[in-house]
Amino acid sequence: MRIAWASSIVAAAVLAAGCSPGPMSKPGRAAAPMNKPVSLGADPSSGAVEAERQRFFGTWDLVALESVPPQGGARVPVSAAGTLIYDEFGNLNIVARTTDSNAPVAAREVRNVTFEGRAVIDVPRSELKLMAVTGNVNPDEVLSPDRRRRYEFDADVMKLSSFDAQGNVTAVATWRRRK
């Protein structure tokens, strides 16, 4: 009985060894590509999003703000101060303050306007979308974190333009990278 059992184990081991995987190609030759990768975005470089994230990375100071006044019309300068921090994990934190009468109502209702959340970068559109946002701004207001924001860089200056549902620019914040 023991001999039959032992020979069964040896036979199973021999069969298992015969089914073990071998190299995909013959030794000394490289294997052919298994698929044809296709770029998912309009920008063919795989590092485009990471490169753009590096441009955002750091602490920025608010140097100018323009906004459509509460009564409507063309954008006007607003006296304001603020800080924007973008970290290596894509988290965005904005704290701004103003008492300017031309500022949006949402900015005048609180001591500091705050946004905290994840910033998702759309490189082909040069847009920034805030996700999982916490803060103290009413989503129905002009400064809503739900609004689309287009970005542009010029050296150490970044402009974030907010759009309403019709595509009209409602505010432009200009930020300078802190040294």
Side-chain angles (χ1 to χ4, degrees), residues 55-133:
R55 292 175 78 186
F56 276 98
F57 180 74
T59 301
W60 302 76
D61 294 314
L62 183 64
V63 293
L65 178 63
E66 293 179 355
S67 179
V68 174
Q71 64 274 18
R75 289 189 317 269
V76 296
V78 174
S79 176
T83 304
L84 179 151
I85 300 170
Y86 183 85
D87 72 14
E88 64 271 17
F89 303 107
N91 297 309
L92 182 73
N93 180 313
I94 299 174
V95 177
R97 60 202 156 283
T98 186
T99 57
D100 193 319
S101 60
N102 288 325
V105 174
R108 292 181 286 130
E109 290 177 335
V110 294
R111 180 182 168 143
N112 289 318
V113 173
T114 62
F115 296 148
E116 291 182 45
R118 183 154 174 78
V120 177
I121 300 170
D122 182 343
V123 176
R125 292 184 180 155
S126 295
E127 288 186 5
L128 184 73
K129 176 71 175 160
L130 303 177
M131 309 294 284
V133 177

Side-chain angles (χ1 to χ4, degrees), residues 164-177:
D164 63 14
Q166 292 76 35
N168 300 314
V169 176
T170 57
V172 177
T174 304
W175 304 87
R176 182 172 311 277
R177 185 184 307 276

